[in-house]
Amino acid sequence: MIGLAQSIPPELKRHIAGFCKPAELANLALVNTSYRDEAEVLLYRKISVWFEPKRLSIWDTLKTHSHKAALVRSLTIKFEPNYYAHTLAAESICTALVNTRGLLELCLHLLEEDVAFQAQIQALLRQRYFNLEIFHCSGYFDLPTIVDSQSNSLQILATCDHWNTLSAFQDIARRYPSLKLFSYEQFDYTTSVFNILNIFPALYPNNTFLWDPISKSYNCHDKRIR
């Protein structure tokens, strides 16, 4: 005999899952195996985490369950102020990222001292484990190389808290005039709010400057960015 949970059409289960918050989706996935797939699609689609060295469970999940990692479309990784990403953090995140082949948006703010971690991320981008449409990063990355490696898909590139990106942006805009570029920074470093937005319409003299894509990207990764 088919139970009530199993008899509900897939499209209705998908509709029900759409009303759930992340914690509720996790519970819904346990109700019945017929709900699990629908719940996991939404649960893993957009992941935003504060990195804590003692809590690596999400990265373990993405490393060991490639089918779940493949569901991730947007990933934001935040670190505590002045936190340096140690070797374990870098290895855990990069190994997990290899499986996120459907990833479209990546937001990753690293410090200047995180040289090895930046190199690992750039290697993943060059090898095209995923094809990003949006990339938010610190300005210490090799931006032209990243854009070259992701040029088939990248639509928006944004940097945070780094004042010396203009020359790189000028070079990128000249070679990729359709790519939207902007940066943001903190006026008050005692808070975690990025409250200054820098846009560069002068880089696109032959194209109409489109505000809407930048506005959506600027707000989609962190509600405190405004």
Side-chain angles (χ1 to χ4, degrees):
M1 182 176 180
I2 299 177
L4 177 61
Q6 294 174 290
S7 64
I8 296 176
E11 58 271 18
L12 184 54
K13 294 174 184 175
R14 193 174 304 120
H15 187 67
I16 292 171
F19 287 98
C20 296
K21 297 177 181 178
E24 295 167 341
L25 284 170
N27 291 330
L28 182 63
L30 301 175
V31 169
N32 186 278
T33 54
S34 63
Y35 281 91
R36 184 180 59 203
D37 291 344
E38 299 297 342
E40 287 186 345
V41 166
L42 295 178
L43 188 61
Y44 288 95
R45 177 178 295 171
K46 184 175 182 178
I47 297 177
S48 181
V49 295
W50 278 101
F51 185 86
E52 297 182 34
K54 295 181 180 180
R55 294 186 177 181
L56 300 176
S57 58
I58 180 61
W59 311 116
D60 290 338
T61 298
L62 298 180
K63 284 190 298 182
T64 57
H65 299 280
S66 58
H67 65 286
K68 294 182 179 180
L71 299 174
V72 180
R73 297 294 178 267
S74 175
L75 177 61
T76 299
I77 307 172
K78 308 169 189 175
F79 295 90
E80 294 292 342
N82 300 319
Y83 173 80
Y84 302 121
H86 53 70
T87 303
L88 179 59
E91 290 180 353
S92 297
I93 293 173
C94 289
T95 304
L97 281 173
V98 168
N99 290 332
T100 59
R101 296 184 178 274
L103 189 64
L104 299 176
E105 302 179 16
L106 177 61
C107 180
L108 180 60
H109 298 167
L110 299 179
L111 298 177
E112 183 177 9
E113 292 79 5
D114 290 322
V115 177
F117 195 4
Q118 291 174 42
Q120 288 177 280
I121 295 295
Q122 289 178 179
L124 291 175
L125 292 170
R126 285 196 302 271
Q127 295 174 56
R128 297 184 181 178
Y129 283 101
F130 36 76
N131 295 297
L132 296 179
E133 294 180 356
I134 299 173
F135 185 39
H136 287 233
C137 65
S138 49
Y140 303 110
F141 281 86
D142 183 351
L143 301 179
T145 299
I146 288 174
V147 173
D148 287 341
S149 63
Q150 295 284 311
S151 61
N152 290 336
S153 58
L154 195 63
Q155 300 172 17
I156 294 175
L157 174 66
T159 63
C160 70
D161 282 346
H162 191 64
W163 57 271
N164 195 28
T165 57
L166 181 57
S167 60
F169 276 4
Q170 289 173 327
D171 175 56
I172 292 169
R174 184 170 57 253
R175 293 187 293 121
Y176 301 100
S178 63
L179 182 63
K180 303 300 182 294
L181 304 166
F182 68 94
S183 66
Y184 44 88
E185 55 190 290
Q186 293 169 281
F187 176 76
D188 182 359
Y189 282 85
T190 63
T191 72
S192 57
V193 178
F194 293 96
N195 49 10
I196 299 177
L197 174 64
N198 303 307
I199 57 176
F200 308 94
L203 297 180
Y204 310 96
N206 299 320
N207 294 328
T208 301
F209 181 77
L210 299 176
W211 168 257
D212 191 55
I214 290 179
S215 177
K216 289 181 179 179
S217 176
Y218 187 53
N219 288 285
C220 72
H221 288 287
D222 191 334
K223 292 181 179 178
R224 295 171 302 172
I225 298 174
R226 54 182 181 271

